[in-house]
């Protein structure tokens, strides 16, 4: 007779044939430690139990991811990338998600049991530009893993006005020849340039005439 149990389970019995020299115990939990011993019986009764042995099935508790690959903050929400958790070889059955503002002690539990499979979960209705502590517990047959993260929501972006001024069109929307602020400086600059050129020409001509007059007198 094979007697076996997990750490937190009850003893179970399995009758084996005396013609078997080996046996594979199936249907066990992933990543779980088991205790086993055997007894032999015949027509005279049951003998002394064998020495108890301990063995563990393959697999481990879930492994938490790094904050950068797990949390994606927004202004009023934080997205949890549940797919970033590693199973440790045993499928993750569910998550428990809690959060609180950094400077408060009371936790808010979003769900007692967030069943898998799912890739993401969003914590909503948060305040912008504020620190929060997020506590996530992952459960599998091999056990549970808790991970605590500090995350800050994003600040609200300043609103950039996109509407036109209240009165009339913007100056940049007017055609070039109707834009007074552009036309007037150009016209004035052109007039000044023409006047300067005219004065220079007059001065040069007068200077030339004076020089010719002096030559004639000589």
């Amino acid at each position: 007779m094979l007697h076996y149990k997990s750490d937190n389970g009850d003893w179970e019995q399995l009758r084996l044939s005396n013609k078997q020299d080996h046996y594979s115990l199936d249907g066990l939990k992933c990543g779980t430690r088991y205790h086993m011993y055997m007894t032999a019986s015949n027509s005279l009764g049951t003998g002394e139990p064998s020495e108890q042995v301990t063995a563990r099935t393959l697999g481990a508790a879930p492994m938490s991811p790094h904050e950068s690959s797990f949390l994606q903050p927004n202004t009023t929400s934080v997205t949890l990338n549940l797919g970033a958790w590693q199973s440790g070889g045993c499928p993750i059955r569910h998550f428990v998600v809690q959060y609180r503002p950094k400077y408060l002690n009371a936790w808010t539990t979003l769900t007692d049991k967030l069943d898998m499979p799912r890739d993401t979960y969003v914590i909503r209705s948060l305040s912008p530009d504020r620190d929060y502590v997020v506590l996530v517990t992952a459960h599998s047959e091999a056990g549970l893993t808790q991970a605590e993260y500090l995350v800050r929501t994003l600040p609200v972006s300043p609103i950039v006005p996109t509407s036109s001024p209240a009165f009339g069109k913007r100056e940049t929307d007017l055609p070039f020849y109707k834009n007074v602020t552009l036309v007037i400086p150009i016209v004035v600059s052109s007039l000044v340039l023409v006047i300067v050129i005219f004065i220079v020409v007059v001065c040069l001509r007068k200077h030339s005439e004076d020089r010719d007059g002096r030559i004639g007198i000589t």
Side-chain angles (χ1 to χ4, degrees):
M1 184 76 70
L2 173 63
H3 306 259
Y4 67 96
K5 69 180 289 293
S6 63
D7 280 344
N8 300 319
D10 298 324
W11 284 104
E12 299 183 54
Q13 297 180 356
L14 181 64
R15 186 179 298 276
L16 304 179
S17 171
N18 59 1
K19 296 180 181 180
Q20 293 178 286
D21 57 4
H22 68 276
Y23 180 79
S24 296
L25 186 59
D26 299 323
L28 303 180
K29 294 180 179 179
C30 180
T32 303
R33 186 171 62 176
Y34 284 86
H35 307 276
M36 294 166 281
Y37 69 91
M38 295 190 68
T39 57
S41 302
N42 58 21
S43 58
L44 298 179
T46 301
E48 293 293 326
S50 68
E51 182 180 353
Q52 188 175 124
V53 296
T54 300
R56 188 182 188 93
T57 54
L58 297 178
M63 292 177 284
S64 59
H66 189 269
E67 174 186 327
S68 59
S69 61
F70 180 54
L71 300 176
Q72 183 179 352
N74 206 323
T75 52
T76 58
S77 66
V78 174
T79 299
L80 310 182
N81 180 19
L82 301 177
W85 282 71
Q86 297 183 28
S87 66
C90 301
I92 297 176
R93 290 184 167 183
H94 66 273
F95 288 92
V96 176
V97 180
Q98 299 171 283
Y99 78 94
R100 63 177 174 85
K102 181 180 178 181
Y103 300 105
L104 296 180
N105 295 323
W107 290 96
T108 298
T109 301
L110 296 175
T111 174
D112 291 331
K113 190 176 181 181
L114 189 62
D115 291 324
M116 295 296 286
R118 67 170 64 212
D119 293 328
T120 60
Y121 184 78
V122 182
I123 303 175
R124 305 183 186 276
S125 302
L126 304 179
S127 299
D129 200 20
R130 189 171 184 181
D131 289 323
Y132 287 89
V133 181
V134 179
L135 179 64
V136 181
T137 307
H139 294 257
S140 74
E141 286 187 340
L144 61 86
T145 300
Q146 277 192 336
E148 189 173 287
Y149 300 91
L150 179 63
V151 61
R152 187 177 186 87
T153 52
L154 301 181
V156 177
S157 300
I159 300 176
V160 179
T162 57
S163 59
S164 300
F167 301 99
K169 293 185 177 180
R170 294 178 299 178
E171 294 177 350
T172 54
D173 292 336
L174 296 174
F176 173 77
Y177 62 91
K178 290 185 178 181
N179 195 329
V180 177
T181 58
L182 292 178
V183 172
I184 290 179
I186 294 175
V187 172
V188 172
S189 299
S190 301
L191 289 176
V192 171
L193 181 60
V194 170
I195 293 172
V196 170
I197 294 174
F198 177 78
I199 293 173
V200 171
V201 170
V202 170
C203 290
L204 290 175
R205 180 174 296 179
K206 184 176 181 181
H207 178 72
S208 178
E209 291 176 353
D210 292 342
R211 186 179 60 180
D212 292 340
R214 287 196 299 270
I215 294 174
I217 295 173
T218 303

